[in-house]
Amino acid sequence: KTGKLAERNYGIVHYDSPDRRGVDVGLIYDKDQFTLENSNSIRLEYPADTAMRTRDQLLVNGILGGERVHIIVNHWPSRLGGEKKSRPKREAAAALTKHIADSVLTADPNSKVIIMGDLNDDPINTSCRVILGAQKDQKDVEPGGYYNTMWNFYSKGIGSLAYQGTWNLFDQIIISGNLLGKDRSTLKFVKAEIFNRDFLKQTEGKYKGYPKRTHAGGVYLNGYSDHFPTLIYLAKEVNPQ
Protein backbone atom coordinates (compact mmCIF):
# COMPACT_ATOMS: atom_id res chain seq x y z
CA LYS A 1 0.00 0.00 0.00
CA THR A 2 3.06 2.27 -0.24
CA GLY A 3 5.36 3.60 -2.94
CA LYS A 4 5.19 2.13 -6.41
CA LEU A 5 3.39 -0.97 -5.12
CA ALA A 6 0.37 1.18 -4.21
CA GLU A 7 -0.22 1.71 -7.94
CA ARG A 8 -0.60 -2.02 -8.51
CA ASN A 9 -3.65 -4.11 -7.69
CA TYR A 10 -1.85 -6.69 -5.54
CA GLY A 11 -3.36 -9.12 -3.07
CA ILE A 12 -1.63 -11.18 -0.40
CA VAL A 13 -2.21 -14.69 0.96
CA HIS A 14 -0.43 -15.28 4.26
CA TYR A 15 -0.75 -17.41 7.38
CA ASP A 16 1.46 -17.49 10.46
CA SER A 17 3.76 -20.53 10.61
CA PRO A 18 5.23 -22.10 13.77
CA ASP A 19 8.82 -21.39 12.67
CA ARG A 20 10.82 -20.24 15.70
CA ARG A 21 12.37 -17.31 13.84
CA GLY A 22 8.98 -16.10 12.69
CA VAL A 23 9.61 -16.99 9.04
CA ASP A 24 6.44 -17.58 7.01
CA VAL A 25 5.59 -18.21 3.37
CA GLY A 26 3.15 -16.10 1.41
CA LEU A 27 1.86 -15.36 -2.06
CA ILE A 28 1.61 -11.93 -3.63
CA TYR A 29 -0.64 -11.92 -6.69
CA ASP A 30 -2.00 -9.48 -9.25
CA LYS A 31 -5.76 -9.29 -8.78
CA ASP A 32 -6.14 -8.30 -12.43
CA GLN A 33 -4.51 -11.57 -13.53
CA PHE A 34 -5.34 -14.10 -10.81
CA THR A 35 -8.69 -14.66 -9.11
CA LEU A 36 -8.26 -16.15 -5.64
CA GLU A 37 -10.70 -18.96 -4.86
CA ASN A 38 -9.34 -20.64 -1.76
CA SER A 39 -6.21 -21.11 0.35
CA ASN A 40 -4.94 -23.46 3.04
CA SER A 41 -1.90 -23.55 5.29
CA ILE A 42 -0.72 -27.15 5.68
CA ARG A 43 1.51 -28.23 8.56
CA LEU A 44 4.47 -30.59 8.18
CA GLU A 45 4.29 -33.30 10.85
CA TYR A 46 7.71 -34.81 11.61
CA PRO A 47 7.46 -37.58 14.24
CA ALA A 48 11.25 -38.12 14.33
CA ASP A 49 11.65 -34.65 15.85
CA THR A 50 8.44 -33.40 17.43
CA ALA A 51 10.26 -30.24 18.57
CA MET A 52 10.88 -29.15 14.98
CA ARG A 53 9.10 -25.94 14.04
CA THR A 54 9.29 -25.16 10.35
CA ARG A 55 7.27 -23.28 7.76
CA ASP A 56 3.82 -24.47 6.78
CA GLN A 57 3.16 -25.17 3.11
CA LEU A 58 0.74 -22.75 1.48
CA LEU A 59 -1.79 -24.06 -1.04
CA VAL A 60 -3.51 -21.35 -3.07
CA ASN A 61 -6.28 -22.20 -5.54
CA GLY A 62 -7.51 -19.77 -8.16
CA ILE A 63 -8.13 -18.87 -11.78
CA LEU A 64 -5.26 -17.74 -14.03
CA GLY A 65 -5.89 -17.15 -17.71
CA GLY A 66 -9.34 -18.65 -17.37
CA GLU A 67 -7.97 -21.91 -15.94
CA ARG A 68 -7.83 -23.35 -12.44
CA VAL A 69 -4.32 -23.28 -11.03
CA HIS A 70 -3.04 -24.63 -7.71
CA ILE A 71 0.08 -22.92 -6.34
CA ILE A 72 2.06 -24.57 -3.53
CA VAL A 73 4.44 -22.15 -1.82
CA ASN A 74 7.30 -23.71 0.15
CA HIS A 75 10.24 -22.91 2.37
CA TRP A 76 11.53 -26.34 3.30
CA PRO A 77 13.64 -26.99 6.44
CA SER A 78 17.12 -25.51 6.30
CA ARG A 79 20.50 -27.22 6.14
CA LEU A 80 21.30 -26.17 9.70
CA GLY A 81 23.53 -28.83 11.23
CA GLY A 82 24.71 -29.95 7.81
CA GLU A 83 23.08 -31.16 4.59
CA LYS A 84 23.22 -34.86 5.46
CA LYS A 85 21.88 -34.55 9.00
CA SER A 86 19.02 -32.27 7.97
CA ARG A 87 18.18 -34.14 4.74
CA PRO A 88 15.34 -36.31 6.17
CA LYS A 89 13.39 -33.18 7.13
CA ARG A 90 13.45 -31.86 3.57
CA GLU A 91 12.53 -35.28 2.23
CA ALA A 92 9.52 -35.29 4.57
CA ALA A 93 8.62 -31.82 3.29
CA ALA A 94 8.91 -33.08 -0.28
CA ALA A 95 6.59 -35.99 0.49
CA LEU A 96 4.01 -33.55 1.86
CA THR A 97 4.30 -31.34 -1.24
CA LYS A 98 3.90 -34.39 -3.49
CA HIS A 99 0.81 -35.48 -1.55
CA ILE A 100 -0.76 -32.02 -1.88
CA ALA A 101 0.01 -31.75 -5.60
CA ASP A 102 -1.17 -35.27 -6.42
CA SER A 103 -4.36 -34.77 -4.41
CA VAL A 104 -5.46 -31.63 -6.26
CA LEU A 105 -4.66 -33.20 -9.63
CA THR A 106 -6.57 -36.35 -8.75
CA ALA A 107 -9.59 -34.24 -7.84
CA ASP A 108 -9.31 -32.11 -10.98
CA PRO A 109 -6.92 -33.55 -13.62
CA ASN A 110 -7.44 -30.59 -15.95
CA SER A 111 -6.15 -28.10 -13.39
CA LYS A 112 -2.51 -27.00 -13.31
CA VAL A 113 -0.02 -27.17 -10.43
CA ILE A 114 2.91 -24.85 -9.73
CA ILE A 115 5.27 -25.76 -6.88
CA MET A 116 7.58 -22.93 -5.89
CA GLY A 117 9.84 -21.70 -3.15
CA ASP A 118 13.16 -21.99 -1.36
CA LEU A 119 13.49 -25.75 -1.07
CA ASN A 120 16.96 -25.64 0.58
CA ASP A 121 17.86 -28.40 -1.88
CA ASP A 122 19.09 -28.52 -5.47
CA PRO A 123 17.26 -30.17 -8.38
CA ILE A 124 19.51 -33.25 -8.14
CA ASN A 125 18.76 -33.92 -4.47
CA THR A 126 16.56 -36.89 -3.57
CA SER A 127 13.78 -34.65 -2.25
CA CYS A 128 13.23 -33.07 -5.67
CA ARG A 129 14.51 -35.72 -8.08
CA VAL A 130 13.05 -38.85 -6.48
CA ILE A 131 10.32 -37.95 -3.99
CA LEU A 132 8.73 -35.19 -6.06
CA GLY A 133 9.83 -36.96 -9.23
CA ALA A 134 10.56 -33.61 -10.89
CA GLN A 135 12.23 -34.36 -14.24
CA LYS A 136 15.12 -32.54 -15.91
CA ASP A 137 13.86 -33.06 -19.47
CA GLN A 138 10.33 -32.38 -20.67
CA LYS A 139 10.30 -35.57 -22.75
CA ASP A 140 10.70 -37.65 -19.58
CA VAL A 141 7.63 -36.24 -17.85
CA GLU A 142 4.90 -38.87 -17.75
CA PRO A 143 1.15 -38.14 -17.40
CA GLY A 144 0.52 -36.88 -13.88
CA GLY A 145 4.23 -36.12 -13.48
CA TYR A 146 6.23 -32.97 -12.84
CA TYR A 147 8.89 -30.93 -14.64
CA ASN A 148 11.67 -29.02 -12.87
CA THR A 149 12.04 -25.76 -14.79
CA MET A 150 15.32 -24.98 -12.99
CA TRP A 151 17.32 -28.17 -13.46
CA ASN A 152 18.96 -27.20 -16.76
CA PHE A 153 20.27 -23.97 -15.23
CA TYR A 154 21.78 -25.96 -12.37
CA SER A 155 23.48 -28.32 -14.84
CA LYS A 156 25.19 -25.29 -16.39
CA GLY A 157 26.47 -24.11 -13.01
CA ILE A 158 23.94 -21.26 -12.77
CA GLY A 159 22.42 -20.81 -9.32
CA SER A 160 20.22 -18.53 -7.27
CA LEU A 161 22.51 -18.29 -4.22
CA ALA A 162 26.18 -18.80 -3.47
CA TYR A 163 27.95 -20.20 -0.42
CA GLN A 164 31.71 -20.45 -0.02
CA GLY A 165 32.30 -20.12 -3.75
CA THR A 166 29.71 -22.71 -4.78
CA TRP A 167 26.39 -21.92 -6.46
CA ASN A 168 23.20 -23.64 -5.37
CA LEU A 169 19.76 -23.48 -6.94
CA PHE A 170 17.38 -23.77 -4.00
CA ASP A 171 14.77 -21.41 -5.44
CA GLN A 172 12.92 -23.81 -7.66
CA ILE A 173 9.72 -23.77 -9.70
CA ILE A 174 8.30 -27.18 -10.53
CA ILE A 175 5.20 -27.57 -12.70
CA SER A 176 2.70 -30.28 -13.54
CA GLY A 177 3.18 -32.02 -16.88
CA ASN A 178 -0.05 -30.62 -18.31
CA LEU A 179 1.66 -27.21 -18.48
CA LEU A 180 4.04 -28.61 -21.11
CA GLY A 181 3.51 -28.82 -24.86
CA LYS A 182 2.97 -26.64 -27.89
CA ASP A 183 -0.83 -26.48 -27.80
CA ARG A 184 -1.32 -22.92 -26.58
CA SER A 185 -5.11 -23.18 -26.47
CA THR A 186 -4.51 -23.74 -22.74
CA LEU A 187 -1.88 -22.29 -20.42
CA LYS A 188 1.57 -23.60 -21.27
CA PHE A 189 5.10 -23.17 -19.98
CA VAL A 190 7.30 -21.08 -22.29
CA LYS A 191 10.59 -20.59 -20.47
CA ALA A 192 12.26 -20.12 -17.09
CA GLU A 193 14.71 -17.50 -15.88
CA ILE A 194 17.00 -16.77 -12.97
CA PHE A 195 16.68 -13.02 -12.53
CA ASN A 196 20.35 -12.22 -11.84
CA ARG A 197 20.57 -8.66 -13.12
CA ASP A 198 23.61 -6.58 -12.17
CA PHE A 199 21.70 -4.28 -9.82
CA LEU A 200 20.99 -7.31 -7.61
CA LYS A 201 24.67 -8.25 -7.29
CA GLN A 202 27.49 -7.41 -4.90
CA THR A 203 29.92 -5.29 -6.94
CA GLU A 204 33.12 -5.55 -4.90
CA GLY A 205 35.02 -7.58 -2.35
CA LYS A 206 35.29 -11.34 -1.96
CA TYR A 207 31.54 -11.72 -2.53
CA LYS A 208 31.59 -9.88 -5.86
CA GLY A 209 28.94 -11.36 -8.16
CA TYR A 210 26.94 -12.84 -5.27
CA PRO A 211 23.38 -11.65 -4.62
CA LYS A 212 23.54 -8.39 -2.66
CA ARG A 213 22.15 -8.93 0.81
CA THR A 214 20.15 -6.39 2.76
CA HIS A 215 22.36 -6.96 5.83
CA ALA A 216 25.64 -8.80 6.36
CA GLY A 217 27.52 -9.06 9.64
CA GLY A 218 25.26 -6.47 11.22
CA VAL A 219 26.00 -3.95 8.45
CA TYR A 220 23.21 -2.50 6.31
CA LEU A 221 24.18 -2.98 2.65
CA ASN A 222 21.01 -1.59 1.03
CA GLY A 223 20.72 -4.78 -1.01
CA TYR A 224 17.72 -6.92 -1.85
CA SER A 225 18.33 -10.53 -0.86
CA ASP A 226 20.96 -13.25 -0.57
CA HIS A 227 18.97 -15.15 -3.22
CA PHE A 228 18.19 -14.21 -6.83
CA PRO A 229 14.52 -14.42 -7.86
CA THR A 230 13.48 -17.20 -10.22
CA LEU A 231 10.73 -16.86 -12.81
CA ILE A 232 8.65 -18.85 -15.22
CA TYR A 233 6.69 -17.53 -18.18
CA LEU A 234 3.33 -19.01 -19.15
CA ALA A 235 1.42 -18.28 -22.37
CA LYS A 236 -2.02 -18.88 -23.78
CA GLU A 237 -3.44 -17.97 -27.17
CA VAL A 238 -5.94 -15.17 -27.04
CA ASN A 239 -9.01 -15.56 -29.24
CA PRO A 240 -9.39 -12.21 -31.03
CA GLN A 241 -13.14 -12.76 -31.17
Side-chain angles (χ1 to χ4, degrees):
K1 298 184 185 299
T2 61
K4 291 290 184 181
L5 292 178
E7 303 169 9
R8 301 293 297 268
N9 191 22
Y10 283 133
I12 299 171
V13 183
H14 165 261
Y15 297 85
D16 283 323
S17 286
D19 180 90
R20 298 187 194 280
R21 294 181 299 162
V23 178
D24 304 324
V25 297
L27 182 78
I28 301 174
Y29 64 97
D30 185 339
K31 293 181 179 180
D32 297 330
Q33 302 290 335
F34 180 77
T35 302
L36 176 67
E37 290 188 321
N38 191 35
S39 64
N40 288 287
S41 189
I42 302 164
R43 184 115 337 143
L44 173 63
E45 303 293 343
Y46 190 67
D49 181 4
T50 56
M52 184 184 75
R53 300 288 184 268
T54 190
R55 280 71 59 175
D56 290 344
Q57 298 190 15
L58 177 63
L59 172 63
V60 179
N61 320 95
I63 303 297
L64 179 68
E67 300 178 37
R68 181 160 286 105
V69 175
H70 310 280
I71 303 168
I72 307 171
V73 188
N74 296 273
H75 188 176
W76 289 356
S78 75
R79 293 188 167 192
L80 186 67
E83 186 278 326
K84 185 175 181 180
K85 182 179 178 181
S86 60
R87 186 185 304 165
K89 296 178 180 179
R90 286 184 299 282
E91 292 180 355
L96 176 60
T97 304
K98 180 74 160 54
H99 172 73
I100 297 168
D102 287 353
S103 295
V104 295
L105 283 176
T106 299
D108 185 3
N110 293 322
S111 61
K112 312 289 175 66
V113 171
I114 300 171
I115 299 165
M116 64 169 72
D118 176 358
L119 307 186
N120 274 306
D121 264 342
D122 291 312
I124 61 167
N125 288 122
T126 300
S127 57
C128 302
R129 178 177 54 85
V130 178
I131 296 174
L132 275 182
Q135 299 294 322
K136 177 182 180 181
D137 297 313
Q138 295 190 26
K139 62 179 175 55
D140 295 329
V141 179
E142 298 179 352
Y146 302 93
Y147 171 63
N148 194 329
T149 68
M150 295 293 143
W151 195 331
N152 283 296
F153 290 116
Y154 181 77
S155 294
K156 297 173 185 174
I158 303 171
S160 58
L161 72 155
Y163 180 69
Q164 294 184 349
T166 300
W167 284 91
N168 291 100
L169 216 174
F170 292 171
D171 305 280
Q172 300 184 51
I173 305 177
I174 294 165
I175 60 177
S176 53
N178 55 10
L179 276 164
L180 302 175
K182 301 297 184 185
D183 176 13
R184 297 276 171 80
S185 63
T186 63
L187 274 176
K188 289 295 191 298
F189 169 76
V190 178
K191 65 176 182 177
E193 179 182 354
I194 298 174
F195 195 80
N196 53 5
R197 303 290 197 272
D198 287 344
F199 73 91
L200 294 172
K201 296 178 182 177
Q202 187 76 27
T203 56
E204 58 189 9
K206 69 175 183 177
Y207 298 117
K208 184 178 180 179
Y210 281 29
K212 189 175 182 180
R213 305 168 68 107
T214 309
H215 295 87
V219 178
Y220 181 66
L221 301 178
N222 195 30
Y224 295 89
S225 174
D226 57 344
H227 293 230
F228 290 133
T230 54
L231 314 172
I232 60 169
Y233 295 82
L234 304 176
K236 183 178 181 178
E237 286 181 357
V238 176
N239 187 337
Q241 299 177 346

